Structure formats: structure tokens, C-alpha cells
Amino acid sequence: MELDNNKSKVKVVVSGIIPFFFIILMMAYIFGPGAGLLDFGVALPEITIEKVDFIESEIQATIRNTGPIPVEIAMADVNDRIQPSAIEPDRFLERYETALVRIPFEWNEAEPYAIGITVEDGTRFEKQIEAAAPALEPTLDLAIFFAIIGTYVGIIPVMIGLLWLPFIKKINKSKYHFFLALTVGLLLFLGIDSIEEAIEVSKENLADVFNGILLVATVTALSFLGLYYAGEKLLKKSESSRLTKPVAIALMISIGIGLHNFGEGLAIGAAVGIGSIAFSTFLIVGFALHNTTEGIAIAAPMSRERKVIGKLAIMGMIAGSPAIFGAWVGGFVYSPFSSVVFLSIGAGAIFQVIIIILNMIRVECNNNLSSAAVVSGISVGMVVMYLTGILI
């Protein structure tokens, strides 16, 4: 009997491997003896200028070969004028390989520049810089500056929003349902906002080869599924531990908001990094007002708990402090790809929390999600976030 079971398991394994074997054979043929099948048309080069830094008496451009074929960098130019340049490590780039192009140039702060890179077949690729600004160098003073900005944008507004807790504690059940639904509206807006920001970054700064929209969709979905699984485990654990369900939900909200605020910190740090002082100030003021409402989202589920001051303070730090780390990353080592990924992870986390809260509301409202309190709460939450978001 045991022998028959072993044979059955072997058959199952073999039946699962056979399709993969034929796929490998097919790929080996296409990229081997059958390579001629792929020779239709002409493969064109593609260079992406990912980043431009203005150093003292020098312009440095980080480039990547995002085309299907290897390329050789022929020359660089500034404002259509060919300039001497050094390419590190060398001028030959395989697919996805990066290089640093160093152009000796006496640039002027706040002036616009067009940086061009030409490959060996004469194809030129360009990146427009609206206003030149000195590249940020990591220093203790600048790190402290970004920490202060992150605190002002992330931690303080969330903590202010948590001050709504005493008010929410004293309201009746119907109004409590309204504030739970308000939380859903706030988070729904944040999730959509994260996706919009991620798509905008991918369109403006990410190479087409990475297919920004599909990258956003994929990372958002994977983040949602992974965090939903982890969230369900956390809720089950709360049933057999000192961690109550409302606290577990508030913790998940804090994590989701924290991931979103990391993306906001990235935007501020990047704006300061490229010298866009007016825009960065605009972001700081807008995000500070915008994020005050996030504290309500954390406070609402906790309003029926006792002795929550310490827990709320911890959750406020979880939700707000990532803005500091985001500002550091955005200002010192900004990467469009990582920005898109983190914004998408934040969106997935927020949508996961929305599902958890809706389940909580459904239980609270006896399976009635269409009550006036719920519908109006979600609607008001969206409107409040839109109105505060106008300043961003």
C-alpha cells in the first residue's frame, strides 16, 4: 500500500515537471538554432538618463542602457553643444548596465540645461533640467534638517489627529460607525493617491522598459495579498493574546499610513535635492495639513479601548516617522524605481487595511454596510482628504 502511494506521488511530481521541460526546450530552440525567427525588424538603441547631478565645475549624468542591444556611448553635450566627457567605468554598455558620464562644465545655479547623450549610430537622448542646483552631499546638518522636516510633516500631524480620541470615545454608537466609515474614506483616498503618485513618478522618471503602470499594479497586488495574509494572522493572534482586535486593526492602519508617509518623504527629499525650494515648501505645508486627518484613522478603532495613550503614541510614531526616512532617501539616494515600488507597497497596505475595517464595520452594523452613517462617513472622509489635498 505504501509503495502504491509513493508511485502515485512520483507520478504527480513528474506530471508537474513535464510542461516545464517542454517550455525549457522551446526557449532553448528560440534563443539557439531558431534565433533567426526573432530577426524581424531592426533593434533600436535606448538610453535612459536616470539622474543628473550638478557638482562644482562638473555635471554628472547617471545613464542606463534600457534598449534591447548593447550600445557604445559616442559623446555628451550640454544645451546641444558637444562637451568633453569621461565615462565610468567605460563607454560600452550591455543591456541594463549603468555608467556615470562626467562632463566638465561651469554651470550656473537656477539656469535650465539640456543634457544629451549620443550613441555610436548617431541616436541622441536628452534630459531637460528646469533649474540647476548643487547636488546634496550627506552631512549631519542636512540629515538633521530632513529629520525636522519629516517630523513636521509626518509625526506631528498624526499626533495632532490622535487628539480626536476623547471626542470619539464620548459619541454614541451610530456616530462611532460614522467615524469608522470616515476612516475607510480617508484610507481609500490615500490608497488612490499613492497609486497616482507612483504612476506619475514612473511616467516622468522611469524608463519605459520597466513598464511603470504594470509595475505599480503588480507591486500593489502583491503588497495587498502579502499584508492581508499577515493581517489575518495578526487578528487571529489577537484572539488568543493580550493584543485586542481594535488594537491590531489600529496597528495595521499605522503600518499602512507609515508606508504612505515614506513615499511623501521621498517626494519632499527629492524636491529639496533638485533645488525646487518653492515646490518642497508647498509639499511640506500641504502634507502637514493633509496628514492631520490620518490620526483620526488610527484613533477611531481604538476609541472603545482603555489605557491606550501609550499604544497610541507608539502607533503615531509608526505612522509618522517613516516620513523622516523617506526624506533621507529622497534627498541623498533618490531612485525613481524604488520610489514607485514603495508608493505601490503603501497603496497595497492601505487597501488591505480598508478590507479589515469594512469587515469590522459589517460586524458592528449587523451586516448592514449601506446605513446612512457608513455611507456618509466614507463620503465625508473622501471629501475631507480631497480638500486638504488641494494644498499639495
PDB file of all heavy atoms in Angstrom, residues 2 18-19 81 105 110 122 136 155 175 179 183 185 205 247 281 286 294 299 329 392:
ATOM      1  N   GLU A   2       1.907   1.249   0.840  1.00  0.00           N
ATOM      2  CA  GLU A   2       2.811   2.382   0.914  1.00  0.00           C
ATOM      3  C   GLU A   2       3.561   2.563  -0.401  1.00  0.00           C
ATOM      4  O   GLU A   2       3.807   3.684  -0.836  1.00  0.00           O
ATOM      5  CB  GLU A   2       3.810   2.169   2.058  1.00  0.00           C
ATOM      6  CG  GLU A   2       4.718   3.363   2.293  1.00  0.00           C
ATOM      7  CD  GLU A   2       5.635   3.155   3.475  1.00  0.00           C
ATOM      8  OE1 GLU A   2       5.409   2.193   4.242  1.00  0.00           O
ATOM      9  OE2 GLU A   2       6.567   3.959   3.627  1.00  0.00           O
ATOM     10  N   ILE A  18       6.868  17.859 -16.409  1.00  0.00           N
ATOM     11  CA  ILE A  18       6.899  17.684 -17.865  1.00  0.00           C
ATOM     12  C   ILE A  18       6.612  18.975 -18.634  1.00  0.00           C
ATOM     13  O   ILE A  18       7.342  19.321 -19.567  1.00  0.00           O
ATOM     14  CB  ILE A  18       5.927  16.553 -18.293  1.00  0.00           C
ATOM     15  CG1 ILE A  18       6.523  15.198 -17.892  1.00  0.00           C
ATOM     16  CG2 ILE A  18       5.672  16.587 -19.800  1.00  0.00           C
ATOM     17  CD1 ILE A  18       5.603  14.021 -18.168  1.00  0.00           C
ATOM     18  N   PRO A  19       5.567  19.758 -18.291  1.00  0.00           N
ATOM     19  CA  PRO A  19       5.329  21.007 -19.034  1.00  0.00           C
ATOM     20  C   PRO A  19       6.520  21.962 -18.966  1.00  0.00           C
ATOM     21  O   PRO A  19       6.853  22.618 -19.958  1.00  0.00           O
ATOM     22  CB  PRO A  19       4.092  21.596 -18.351  1.00  0.00           C
ATOM     23  CG  PRO A  19       3.394  20.428 -17.752  1.00  0.00           C
ATOM     24  CD  PRO A  19       4.488  19.513 -17.316  1.00  0.00           C
ATOM     25  N   ARG A  81      25.566  71.597 -27.298  1.00  0.00           N
ATOM     26  CA  ARG A  81      26.978  71.851 -27.588  1.00  0.00           C
ATOM     27  C   ARG A  81      27.806  70.691 -27.054  1.00  0.00           C
ATOM     28  O   ARG A  81      27.759  70.383 -25.864  1.00  0.00           O
ATOM     29  CB  ARG A  81      27.440  73.165 -26.948  1.00  0.00           C
ATOM     30  CG  ARG A  81      26.790  74.394 -27.579  1.00  0.00           C
ATOM     31  CD  ARG A  81      27.369  75.667 -26.997  1.00  0.00           C
ATOM     32  NE  ARG A  81      26.770  76.845 -27.625  1.00  0.00           N
ATOM     33  CZ  ARG A  81      27.108  78.099 -27.348  1.00  0.00           C
ATOM     34  NH1 ARG A  81      28.041  78.335 -26.416  1.00  0.00           N
ATOM     35  NH2 ARG A  81      26.535  79.115 -27.967  1.00  0.00           N
ATOM     36  N   PHE A 105      32.089  71.302 -16.706  1.00  0.00           N
ATOM     37  CA  PHE A 105      31.241  72.380 -17.221  1.00  0.00           C
ATOM     38  C   PHE A 105      30.995  73.394 -16.109  1.00  0.00           C
ATOM     39  O   PHE A 105      30.646  73.045 -14.980  1.00  0.00           O
ATOM     40  CB  PHE A 105      29.902  71.824 -17.710  1.00  0.00           C
ATOM     41  CG  PHE A 105      29.068  72.789 -18.488  1.00  0.00           C
ATOM     42  CD1 PHE A 105      29.268  72.956 -19.846  1.00  0.00           C
ATOM     43  CD2 PHE A 105      28.081  73.539 -17.866  1.00  0.00           C
ATOM     44  CE1 PHE A 105      28.492  73.859 -20.580  1.00  0.00           C
ATOM     45  CE2 PHE A 105      27.305  74.429 -18.574  1.00  0.00           C
ATOM     46  CZ  PHE A 105      27.515  74.591 -19.940  1.00  0.00           C
ATOM     47  N   ALA A 110      20.274  77.652 -10.932  1.00  0.00           N
ATOM     48  CA  ALA A 110      18.916  78.072 -11.292  1.00  0.00           C
ATOM     49  C   ALA A 110      18.699  78.220 -12.803  1.00  0.00           C
ATOM     50  O   ALA A 110      17.590  78.530 -13.227  1.00  0.00           O
ATOM     51  CB  ALA A 110      18.525  79.367 -10.599  1.00  0.00           C
ATOM     52  N   GLY A 122      24.576  57.530 -33.873  1.00  0.00           N
ATOM     53  CA  GLY A 122      24.118  58.902 -34.035  1.00  0.00           C
ATOM     54  C   GLY A 122      22.819  59.228 -33.320  1.00  0.00           C
ATOM     55  O   GLY A 122      22.376  60.375 -33.342  1.00  0.00           O
ATOM     56  N   LEU A 136      23.118  67.484  -3.390  1.00  0.00           N
ATOM     57  CA  LEU A 136      23.209  67.426  -1.932  1.00  0.00           C
ATOM     58  C   LEU A 136      24.292  66.435  -1.512  1.00  0.00           C
ATOM     59  O   LEU A 136      24.377  65.328  -2.037  1.00  0.00           O
ATOM     60  CB  LEU A 136      21.867  66.988  -1.342  1.00  0.00           C
ATOM     61  CG  LEU A 136      20.675  67.921  -1.559  1.00  0.00           C
ATOM     62  CD1 LEU A 136      19.439  67.335  -0.896  1.00  0.00           C
ATOM     63  CD2 LEU A 136      20.957  69.308  -1.016  1.00  0.00           C
ATOM     64  N   ILE A 155       5.180  63.044  11.853  1.00  0.00           N
ATOM     65  CA  ILE A 155       4.864  62.697  13.237  1.00  0.00           C
ATOM     66  C   ILE A 155       3.891  63.682  13.873  1.00  0.00           C
ATOM     67  O   ILE A 155       2.859  63.286  14.437  1.00  0.00           O
ATOM     68  CB  ILE A 155       6.161  62.618  14.074  1.00  0.00           C
ATOM     69  CG1 ILE A 155       7.050  61.494  13.548  1.00  0.00           C
ATOM     70  CG2 ILE A 155       5.825  62.377  15.542  1.00  0.00           C
ATOM     71  CD1 ILE A 155       8.401  61.407  14.228  1.00  0.00           C
ATOM     72  N   LYS A 175     -22.776  57.383  15.679  1.00  0.00           N
ATOM     73  CA  LYS A 175     -21.707  58.309  15.304  1.00  0.00           C
ATOM     74  C   LYS A 175     -20.350  57.611  15.291  1.00  0.00           C
ATOM     75  O   LYS A 175     -19.460  57.969  14.503  1.00  0.00           O
ATOM     76  CB  LYS A 175     -21.690  59.503  16.258  1.00  0.00           C
ATOM     77  CG  LYS A 175     -22.916  60.395  16.113  1.00  0.00           C
ATOM     78  CD  LYS A 175     -22.909  61.524  17.129  1.00  0.00           C
ATOM     79  CE  LYS A 175     -24.171  62.382  16.981  1.00  0.00           C
ATOM     80  NZ  LYS A 175     -24.245  63.448  18.012  1.00  0.00           N
ATOM     81  N   PHE A 179     -17.537  57.416  12.252  1.00  0.00           N
ATOM     82  CA  PHE A 179     -16.094  57.671  12.284  1.00  0.00           C
ATOM     83  C   PHE A 179     -15.292  56.469  11.790  1.00  0.00           C
ATOM     84  O   PHE A 179     -14.223  56.633  11.199  1.00  0.00           O
ATOM     85  CB  PHE A 179     -15.659  58.084  13.693  1.00  0.00           C
ATOM     86  CG  PHE A 179     -15.784  59.558  13.933  1.00  0.00           C
ATOM     87  CD1 PHE A 179     -16.931  60.083  14.499  1.00  0.00           C
ATOM     88  CD2 PHE A 179     -14.775  60.435  13.557  1.00  0.00           C
ATOM     89  CE1 PHE A 179     -17.059  61.447  14.700  1.00  0.00           C
ATOM     90  CE2 PHE A 179     -14.892  61.800  13.757  1.00  0.00           C
ATOM     91  CZ  PHE A 179     -16.047  62.313  14.326  1.00  0.00           C
ATOM     92  N   THR A 183     -12.873  56.663   8.519  1.00  0.00           N
ATOM     93  CA  THR A 183     -11.532  56.090   8.393  1.00  0.00           C
ATOM     94  C   THR A 183     -11.359  55.399   7.052  1.00  0.00           C
ATOM     95  O   THR A 183     -10.320  55.535   6.389  1.00  0.00           O
ATOM     96  CB  THR A 183     -11.292  55.079   9.535  1.00  0.00           C
ATOM     97  OG1 THR A 183     -11.322  55.758  10.784  1.00  0.00           O
ATOM     98  CG2 THR A 183      -9.951  54.392   9.373  1.00  0.00           C
ATOM     99  N   GLY A 185     -12.966  56.102   4.292  1.00  0.00           N
ATOM    100  CA  GLY A 185     -12.878  57.149   3.273  1.00  0.00           C
ATOM    101  C   GLY A 185     -11.502  57.789   3.216  1.00  0.00           C
ATOM    102  O   GLY A 185     -10.948  58.018   2.139  1.00  0.00           O
ATOM    103  N   ASN A 205      10.040  59.736 -14.729  1.00  0.00           N
ATOM    104  CA  ASN A 205      11.435  59.427 -14.441  1.00  0.00           C
ATOM    105  C   ASN A 205      11.846  57.978 -14.692  1.00  0.00           C
ATOM    106  O   ASN A 205      13.040  57.673 -14.663  1.00  0.00           O
ATOM    107  CB  ASN A 205      11.750  59.757 -12.972  1.00  0.00           C
ATOM    108  CG  ASN A 205      11.529  61.217 -12.659  1.00  0.00           C
ATOM    109  OD1 ASN A 205      12.105  62.089 -13.284  1.00  0.00           O
ATOM    110  ND2 ASN A 205      10.676  61.499 -11.691  1.00  0.00           N
ATOM    111  N   VAL A 247      -6.935  47.055  18.669  1.00  0.00           N
ATOM    112  CA  VAL A 247      -5.526  47.452  18.694  1.00  0.00           C
ATOM    113  C   VAL A 247      -4.799  46.882  17.477  1.00  0.00           C
ATOM    114  O   VAL A 247      -3.976  47.563  16.852  1.00  0.00           O
ATOM    115  CB  VAL A 247      -4.845  46.986  19.998  1.00  0.00           C
ATOM    116  CG1 VAL A 247      -3.340  47.256  19.951  1.00  0.00           C
ATOM    117  CG2 VAL A 247      -5.468  47.681  21.206  1.00  0.00           C
ATOM    118  N   THR A 281       8.582  73.468  -0.253  1.00  0.00           N
ATOM    119  CA  THR A 281       7.832  74.174   0.788  1.00  0.00           C
ATOM    120  C   THR A 281       6.336  73.921   0.628  1.00  0.00           C
ATOM    121  O   THR A 281       5.611  73.694   1.606  1.00  0.00           O
ATOM    122  CB  THR A 281       8.107  75.690   0.709  1.00  0.00           C
ATOM    123  OG1 THR A 281       9.516  75.908   0.824  1.00  0.00           O
ATOM    124  CG2 THR A 281       7.383  76.433   1.814  1.00  0.00           C
ATOM    125  N   GLY A 286       1.454  71.388   2.587  1.00  0.00           N
ATOM    126  CA  GLY A 286       0.311  70.586   2.173  1.00  0.00           C
ATOM    127  C   GLY A 286       0.238  69.255   2.889  1.00  0.00           C
ATOM    128  O   GLY A 286      -0.826  68.864   3.399  1.00  0.00           O
ATOM    129  N   GLU A 294      -4.945  61.745   9.234  1.00  0.00           N
ATOM    130  CA  GLU A 294      -4.546  60.339   9.364  1.00  0.00           C
ATOM    131  C   GLU A 294      -4.626  59.871  10.818  1.00  0.00           C
ATOM    132  O   GLU A 294      -4.840  58.688  11.081  1.00  0.00           O
ATOM    133  CB  GLU A 294      -3.132  60.145   8.811  1.00  0.00           C
ATOM    134  CG  GLU A 294      -3.056  60.386   7.297  1.00  0.00           C
ATOM    135  CD  GLU A 294      -1.631  60.360   6.774  1.00  0.00           C
ATOM    136  OE1 GLU A 294      -0.702  60.202   7.598  1.00  0.00           O
ATOM    137  OE2 GLU A 294      -1.432  60.494   5.544  1.00  0.00           O
ATOM    138  N   ALA A 299      -7.158  56.624  15.536  1.00  0.00           N
ATOM    139  CA  ALA A 299      -7.879  56.786  16.797  1.00  0.00           C
ATOM    140  C   ALA A 299      -9.235  56.093  16.792  1.00  0.00           C
ATOM    141  O   ALA A 299      -9.660  55.559  17.830  1.00  0.00           O
ATOM    142  CB  ALA A 299      -8.052  58.275  17.095  1.00  0.00           C
ATOM    143  N   VAL A 329      16.136  59.296   2.205  1.00  0.00           N
ATOM    144  CA  VAL A 329      16.350  58.542   0.963  1.00  0.00           C
ATOM    145  C   VAL A 329      16.138  59.445  -0.249  1.00  0.00           C
ATOM    146  O   VAL A 329      16.929  59.443  -1.195  1.00  0.00           O
ATOM    147  CB  VAL A 329      15.411  57.318   0.901  1.00  0.00           C
ATOM    148  CG1 VAL A 329      15.513  56.634  -0.464  1.00  0.00           C
ATOM    149  CG2 VAL A 329      15.757  56.326   2.005  1.00  0.00           C
ATOM    150  N   ILE A 392      -1.551  70.422  -1.751  1.00  0.00           N
ATOM    151  CA  ILE A 392      -0.316  69.707  -2.083  1.00  0.00           C
ATOM    152  C   ILE A 392       0.080  69.972  -3.510  1.00  0.00           C
ATOM    153  O   ILE A 392      -0.715  69.839  -4.401  1.00  0.00           O
ATOM    154  CB  ILE A 392      -0.478  68.196  -1.831  1.00  0.00           C
ATOM    155  CG1 ILE A 392      -0.757  67.952  -0.354  1.00  0.00           C
ATOM    156  CG2 ILE A 392       0.783  67.449  -2.245  1.00  0.00           C
ATOM    157  CD1 ILE A 392      -0.991  66.515  -0.010  1.00  0.00           C
TER     158      ILE A 392
END
